[in-house]
Amino acid sequence: MAGTLAYARKLDDLNLGVGVKYISSDLGSSDYGTASASAFAVDLGALYNINENLQASLAVLNLGSELKYISESDPLPLNIKPGVAWKGDVGFGKLNAVLDAD
């Protein structure tokens, strides 16, 4: 289970966002006890309008604590995602092109 509270704000050509999330996991019981864990994490995002046709973005996901089950810890998967988007008229119609990395 995961619950998120998020906020975003536009500052001229820059859009910024932040999400705070609580993550809970329950793997059930074993001979060693109940295998459940919880963690808090933050997601950050930015979208910059370079011009009317070009945008660049960056998202950083899962900055936070580890999930700890009994005696084992499991870090949240840190994910950094840059991207670019272009939109324009190509003669036969409009085209949107997007590229992102994960």
Side-chain angles (χ1 to χ4, degrees), residues 4-23:
T4 303
L5 291 173
Y7 176 77
R9 175 119 191 205
K10 182 175 176 67
L11 305 169
D12 294 322
D13 290 332
L14 181 64
N15 299 287
L16 299 172
V18 61
V20 178
K21 58 187 168 184
Y22 172 76
I23 302 162

Side-chain angles (χ1 to χ4, degrees), residues 49-63:
N49 295 312
I50 297 169
N51 59 43
E52 74 176 41
N53 294 347
L54 188 61
Q55 296 177 316
S57 65
L58 180 65
V60 180
L61 309 173
N62 294 325
L63 291 168

Side-chain angles (χ1 to χ4, degrees), residues 16-79:
L16 299 172
V18 61
V20 178
K21 58 187 168 184
Y22 172 76
I23 302 162
S24 176
S25 176
D26 185 354
L27 301 178
S29 298
S30 71
D31 294 338
Y32 303 104
T34 302
S36 63
S38 61
F40 286 95
V42 174
D43 296 339
L44 304 171
L47 176 68
Y48 182 67
N49 295 312
I50 297 169
N51 59 43
E52 74 176 41
N53 294 347
L54 188 61
Q55 296 177 316
S57 65
L58 180 65
V60 180
L61 309 173
N62 294 325
L63 291 168
S65 60
E66 296 180 335
L67 291 168
K68 184 168 183 170
Y69 299 95
I70 305 169
S71 62
E72 295 288 324
S73 292
D74 189 17
L76 297 174
L78 179 64
N79 197 349

Side-chain angles (χ1 to χ4, degrees), residues 51 53-55 84-90 95-98:
N51 59 43
N53 294 347
L54 188 61
Q55 296 177 316
V84 293
W86 177 84
K87 63 181 178 181
D89 190 354
V90 291
L95 177 67
N96 291 337
V98 179

